[in-house]
Amino acid sequence: MGQFYAFCGKSYRKFMHEGVKSPVFKKYTVAGGGYKKNVKCPHCQSTDRTRLLYLFFKLRTDIYRNKTRLLHISPNMLLARELQSIPTVEYTCGALTPECFSPFNAVKVDVSKMTFDENSFDVIVCNHVLEHVPDDATAMREIFRVLKPGGFAVLQVPLALDLEKTLEDETITGRKERKIVFGQTDHLRLYGVDYFDKLSSIGFRVVRDNPFADNWADDLERYSLDRNEDVFVCYK
Ligand SMILES: [Zn+2]
């Protein structure tokens, strides 16, 4: 029997390593990004951040019991498969390139300009997307608009815990430069803890839910999660 357990049901003595080494992620203590040991399941390829959301929905929400209209934007395939399979969930997958998500009948969604009516969804999952979006404030407003009052969005980003103000510079456009300054070639900024002020200014009430600090379960060590990574639950 292995020590670590992934939601595919397999367990291993140890998971594989994953991610790209990034000095800027290390410098500012970034949760939810960079190189990590013992995170990737050799069987289903799930990583810590996918298992975190899987456990969050299982243990901290009622979507397995109550009828839920859920929008999943540019999803992780494993999480998409899980959420789509829940009988109580009316699942919509949206992506800029819906052809890449055909098993989920994806529709075209530009997160900065969505075609859904306001108050359409109970839950929106936009996981590690905003750091790639040029106008993130507009995207946050759009997510707020299409969310139902009382609903919530899960808006994970790589978060620099030791950085007060988000690093952003439109003149930095090269892949090499972006990697040096923001930590990854395709990231347009590095979010600091003012990320929560940005979300609050749109109207969200943000709750940071941490599996360890908030005692989600007794056997959390088995899932090899990042202890620093909270789920950012953004209520409308
Ligand atoms: Zn697995």
Side-chain angles (χ1 to χ4, degrees):
M1 265 301 278
Q3 183 180 358
F4 295 108
Y5 182 78
F7 66 77
C8 61
K10 303 275 182 193
S11 69
Y12 295 91
R13 208 155 47 78
K14 186 169 135 190
F15 288 142
M16 302 186 295
H17 62 88
E18 199 255 347
V20 182
K21 286 185 180 159
S22 163
V24 73
F25 277 10
K26 209 167 181 184
K27 178 177 172 190
Y28 293 118
T29 320
V30 170
Y35 176 86
K36 290 175 192 173
K37 285 180 181 162
N38 190 29
V39 291
K40 191 170 182 175
C41 172
H43 181 74
C44 68
Q45 314 286 307
S46 72
T47 61
D48 52 346
R49 66 191 207 194
T50 312
R51 290 189 295 275
L52 175 70
L53 290 200
Y54 170 75
L55 289 172
F56 168 76
F57 281 110
K58 273 263 180 202
L59 303 173
R60 307 292 281 177
T61 75
D62 56 11
I63 69 167
Y64 287 80
R65 290 179 296 277
N66 291 347
K67 205 170 171 330
T68 306
R69 283 199 76 194
L70 186 147
L71 172 64
H72 200 178
I73 298 170
S74 298
N76 167 281
M77 298 288 189
L78 285 170
L79 194 63
R81 214 177 295 149
E82 173 64 24
L83 295 175
Q84 193 190 37
S85 75
I86 304 170
T88 44
V89 169
E90 188 189 320
Y91 182 83
T92 303
C93 171
L96 255 185
T97 53
E99 62 278 11
C100 302
F101 300 92
S102 50
F104 307 108
N105 300 317
V107 294
K108 188 169 171 88
V109 166
D110 175 347
V111 69
S112 305
K113 204 172 133 191
M114 292 197 267
T115 52
F116 303 112
D117 290 336
E118 62 180 57
N119 307 335
S120 290
F121 296 97
D122 301 293
V123 175
I124 298 176
V125 185
C126 186
N127 193 20
H128 290 267
V129 173
L130 289 172
E131 68 272 22
H132 303 277
V133 174
D135 186 354
D136 62 337
T138 299
M140 289 173 194
R141 270 193 294 273
E142 273 295 90
I143 292 167
F144 190 82
R145 181 181 68 79
V146 304
L147 196 60
K148 286 184 196 172
F152 67 87
V154 174
L155 304 179
Q156 302 302 101
V157 295
L159 184 76
L161 299 171
D162 292 333
L163 179 67
E164 251 172 64
K165 204 173 165 335
T166 295
L167 288 177
E168 201 164 17
D169 183 346
E170 279 175 18
T171 65
I172 297 175
T173 54
R175 291 173 60 83
K176 239 182 174 168
E177 266 185 296
R178 280 177 174 165
K179 165 105 170 71
I180 292 166
V181 182
F182 306 133
Q184 214 171 290
T185 57
D186 55 349
H187 286 185
L188 308 187
R189 64 190 67 81
L190 178 60
Y191 287 107
V193 290
D194 63 339
Y195 178 55
F196 302 107
D197 303 330
K198 292 173 190 282
L199 292 165
S200 303
S201 74
I202 305 287
F204 287 111
R205 180 175 63 85
V206 185
V207 174
R208 296 170 69 171
D209 197 0
N210 184 285
F212 298 92
D214 296 303
N215 296 315
W216 288 10
D218 292 332
D219 61 346
L220 286 173
E221 297 293 345
R222 300 182 76 192
Y223 295 93
S224 192
L225 302 173
D226 179 346
R227 298 190 84 94
N228 275 336
E229 191 175 5
D230 301 335
V231 178
F232 310 139
V233 196
C234 308
Y235 292 93
K236 177 171 174 179

